[in-house]
Amino acid sequence: MTGKKAGAPGDAVASIIEDWARERPELDTAPLEVLARLHRTFLRYNSKLTAAIDRHGLAVAGFDVLTALRRAGAPYRLTAGQLADSGLVSSAGVTLRIDRLEKDGLIVRERDAEDRRVVYSRLTDAGLAKVDEVFSEHLDNERRMLAGLSPAECRQLARLLSKLERSIEDSGTEED
């Protein structure tokens, strides 16, 4: 049975690394130090994010649609393709999200006046009020999660995560 090891109390990643060092000392487990921590951090973040959004009767994907529409500026409307291009929602999932948000009265579908083939999703007044309320709370929630870091550390971490994202994108896959 594995007990608590080096690192912070309850540091599962440090424990995993020590286990591998014992079992397979020839392996360089340095990537785990970063990527396993990133994965565990994401899971914790995602749990807190989801709980906060759920309290407002929204799914995270629906919240992403609402925030994309809000960021578009008045009249707060985008096509399904534009929503998919925002990178937050898969093209397959856009229609389902739009259907749910429309049913909830948070968006309406509108045809383009000049090209009837083009359909926009637009925030309703209720949708605008909801996204403004939930997004403010979302930022407060994220501030609480980052409270253990100084502003300089947050800026440094943001730069490093951006660099990591590019590194991962540039790494390709073994199937490439």
Side-chain angles (χ1 to χ4, degrees), residues 19-114:
D19 290 346
W20 279 116
R22 182 188 68 248
E23 295 298 316
R24 297 280 313 272
E26 77 280 8
L27 294 177
D28 175 10
T29 58
L32 291 177
E33 193 69 43
V34 173
L35 296 174
R37 288 186 192 290
L38 184 63
H39 179 68
R40 290 175 57 81
T41 300
F42 168 75
L43 293 175
R44 287 188 168 107
Y45 163 77
N46 195 53
S47 175
K48 289 179 182 263
L49 167 75
T50 301
I53 302 296
D54 283 351
R55 281 195 294 276
H56 291 277
L58 294 171
V60 173
F63 177 65
D64 288 343
V65 168
L66 294 177
T67 59
L69 291 170
R70 180 63 171 100
R71 290 190 327 270
Y76 312 113
R77 69 181 199 170
L78 296 169
T79 65
Q82 290 170 320
L83 285 165
D85 290 344
S86 74
L88 297 173
V89 181
S90 71
S91 53
V94 169
T95 302
L96 292 173
R97 303 303 171 218
I98 291 170
D99 288 346
R100 170 72 195 267
L101 294 168
E102 186 176 41
K103 178 179 159 279
D104 292 344
L106 301 175
I107 65 170
V108 292
R109 287 184 171 108
E110 300 176 331
R111 294 215 175 261
D112 186 89
E114 295 176 19

Side-chain angles (χ1 to χ4, degrees), residues 124-161:
T124 61
D125 290 343
L128 181 60
K130 174 74 85 174
V131 71
D132 282 350
E133 173 193 4
V134 177
F135 190 69
S136 291
E137 289 182 24
H138 170 70
L139 289 176
D140 290 341
N141 189 29
E142 289 190 336
R143 275 187 204 89
R144 280 189 300 276
M145 287 188 262
L146 292 170
L149 302 174
S150 71
E153 288 170 326
C154 285
R155 288 189 300 275
Q156 180 183 20
L157 181 58
R159 282 190 303 273
L160 290 170
L161 288 171

